[in-house]
Structures are given as structure tokens and as C-alpha cells.
Amino acid sequence: MSENTYVMAIDQGTTSSRAIIFDHAGQIVSTGQLEHEQIFPRAGWVEHDPMEIWRNVRQAVAQAFAASTPDLTSKDLAAVGITNQRETAVVWDKTTGEPVYNAIVWQDTRTQAIVDELAGDEGADRYKDVCGLPLATYFTGPKVTWILDNVEGAREKAEKGDLLMGTTDSWVLWNMTGGPDGGVHVTDVTNASRTMLMDLRTLEWDESICADMRIPMSMLPRIASSSEEYAEGREQGLLAGVPIAGILGDQQAATFGQACFEKGMAKNTYGTGCFVLMNTGTEIVKSENGLLTTVCYKIGDADTVYALEGSIAVAGSLVQWLRDNLGLIKSAEEVETLAKGVDDNGGTYFVPAFSGLFAPHWRSDARGALVGMTRFVNKGHIARATIEATAYQTREVIDAMNADSGVDLTELKVDGGMTANELLMQFQADQLGVPVVRPQIAETTALGAAYAAGIAVGVWSGEQDVIDNWAEGRRWEPAEGDDERERQYRNWKKAVTKTLDWVDDDVLV
């Protein structure tokens, strides 16, 4: 395949939708990006407008073409890959293409009553042997149940076969391939593994779980591999005739883009939330320490590769909260400057349990806490505590991962927007006691989706090409003494206990 063959990735994220064109070397040619509105109807509720997302995807594609040098068009693209915010649920009318309700975002906690009802006497692990996940508000299935139960006429339409559901990859793909006029309704194994509805062993929808959640099977997309030709772009679109050939949930895409192809390799993506994935090979490893068992990727007909995952709800969004809700900083970048103005956190610890605590605690009753404050504490200490919170949460997950896998991590590959914060990266290395490594191309989520699509059409021959393209950009070595590291972490764990049992059962949101 020619060296000047290009692949586009569409990255439909939690805060924005992007289109990025990559060349054969995995280098960025051009990008387009638009943010979408974060809708908060009530405490604990988080929504997006699916139509806004679809409009933004189209505009981002147009921006990427307009910004490209040389001037590229769809005829220059060998394939398109999609990566997306996972677990976020969209339900839409297959005849009109209109969503019946806003997308319910992965951070949303409104489904707690549904989750509790499903758990019953068997508890949160009722379906874990089948789908690898605990019952939690995080996942897609209960969100779809809520929409069918609460939107007038939705359940009747669904039972008649008039509604479709999916994560945002399915919504974007369906629209890209024609929408009501022949749109293809497909998801990949990585996204399907986040719904609570897929059997990890068979890679098929589990009829009994769907029945328990009262979700008609007719709504569900076909489950495909992460790298194959699903369909071509619709005739009237900017990507007309281009094969859409890769789909990976955002965290799995980053794992793929980071070339974590060997068992025991792990990466952490620092975005809105924080997500650590460890490749466990073709083995389904059940967690005893609060982690998720999930699909890592499946390339065409090759064996399925699985992963352990630690999901952290709040990371970069905590910095946004300082900026938007408190006005403590004017830009996200300012948090590092502010934090560098003090020597340490002044004894202050920030546990951002805004949506409860995810891995390894899974406590929906937790809420955020800023503890240890004295009159000595200033905004620099709060900024530092904000940065450190992400590193502490990551250490909790890595400790659980080491225990589950039986193999201690020797280095952590990192990506995502927060890796530009060098104070955080150094503190992360200090807390883990292992090197933290950032690649030259930090856009590994989009890159992973591009690789999956490109492999399907022959732009890249396989995993070795991804490994050859990967290059180290920066490395942080641990510099903190053991005693100080453990003292800090001990205080963090104490702070976590202050967030628990905060929400009364009858007002859980």
C-alpha cells in the first residue's frame, strides 16, 4: 500500500467530537473538533443531544479536510475508523432517525433504582460471570431501560420493532451510512462489552439479561469485530464511498494505539475520566479486587483479546469543575502553574466522587470531599490536591490490577490531554514507583481507531506496523522516597472513607 495513503478517525468523545486524518506513519495530517453541550437536568443526571453530536461529527470531518495539507478529499482516504465515549446510551426511531430522548451519558446516576431492583438478593455481581461487569449506573443497559420506562410511548414503539439503541459509535455509524435510508446498525465487541448485555465468552447478546432489563432484542445492533469493513459512507455525505472499517470504544482504542499487544502491558488515558487497561491476552480474567473484565479488541477473525480495566469517573473533569463551577482558574492549563506555587498539598486531599466512586470501590453512595483543610491552605494547595487526586485514584486501580493479574506493573504508558501536566506525570510516577511513559503522538485514542480501520483494508499489515510506528516521547522516573509515598497514600485512603455513605437511599441521584 502506498506511503501516502490516509486514514481518518472519528473520535466521538464525552466533551467533543473530532475528526483526525493520519498518514501511513501514524502522524497527524489535520484535525477538526467541536464541543457539544453538557446537559444537567438534575443533580446526578448528565445528557447529550444526539442530533448535536451528529451535526458536530459532520462539521469536524469538513474541518479536517479543509485543514489538510495537501488538500485531501474522501478519495484520498483508504478507510475511516470510529472511536467513542462508551456506555452512553442513545435510543432512536429507525423510521424518522429522531432520538426519543437525549443520550444518557456514562457519568449519569439516575438508574440507581433500576440497578438495585436488578441486583435484588443476588447483589451487584448477579451478571458478572456472564458480562464481566458489576451492576452499576455506569453501564448502558439500565440507561436504555430507564428511557423505555420513562419516555411516553417508547416501550410500545420498541416492542413493535420501531426503535434502535446503541452506544454513540452505533448512532454515528447508522447516520454515516444512510440513517433511515439504509443505515447499518452495528457495534463492535469492545462497545458491546460495556452494555452489560453481551456474553464475554460467546460475544453475543445474552437474551436472559436483555429480558431482565426489559430491552427488546430487535433494538440491538449486530456485534462485529473491531476491524472489518462494516459499510461505506452514504452517497450524499463527505465520506461517500469510503469504507468504515474500524470501531473501538475510546479506552480500548487508546490501548490499541499504545501498542499494548502483549499480556501484562497497560496504559492509562487521562481524559474526562481516567481509564487503566491491562491486556490479559485471550484469557478472561475475573477480578477479585473491584476491576472490570472487558474485551480489549478483536481484529477480524483473529482470537478475541481481553483486558482488566479500572474506570475512574472524574479526572480532567475535576479541573474543568475548578474552572467552570468555582472560577478558581481561567483555563485548564493554569491548574499546573497554580499548583507549582506551593511545595505540597498542605495536608489537603480532594476525593472527586461527583458520580460516586468507580473502580475499585463501586460506591454510588459516595460524594465528593475536600478534607484536611486548615487556615494555612490556599488555592495553590487546592490546585495541587486536584492534580494529585488523579494520581491517587490511578494507584488504587493499579494496586488492584497487580493483585488480580499476579504480575506487578513495570511501567505505565500514558496518553490523553492531562499528560501535558508534567507535575501530574511526575507525581504519578512517584506514587506508582514505576516509570510513566508518554508517546510522541499523544492522540492514541483516535490513532487506535485509525489503525483498526487501516488494518482491515491493508494500509497496515497488522500489529507489528503499529509497534514500529510507536515512539517514546517523554519518560518520568519515580523520585519520591518510599516512606513519603506511603504516608501520602495512607492519607488519601483515609480521605476516601470520608466520602462514603453520604447519599440517603431514598434520594440517591
Side-chain angles (χ1 to χ4, degrees), residues 137-154:
T137 60
Y138 181 23
F139 304 111
T140 314
K143 300 179 194 299
V144 175
T145 302
W146 188 94
I147 290 173
L148 297 183
D149 286 347
N150 289 275
V151 175
E152 186 176 354

Side-chain angles (χ1 to χ4, degrees), residues 44 76 123 125 218-219 318 353 376 392 443 451 453 486 492 502 506:
D76 298 297
D125 289 345
S218 61
M219 299 180 71
L318 182 57
F376 170 69
Y392 289 129
E443 297 291 356
Y451 280 142
E486 295 309 315
W492 163 259
W502 188 258
D506 59 342

Side-chain angles (χ1 to χ4, degrees), residues 442-453:
E443 297 291 356
T444 53
T445 300
L447 184 56
Y451 280 142

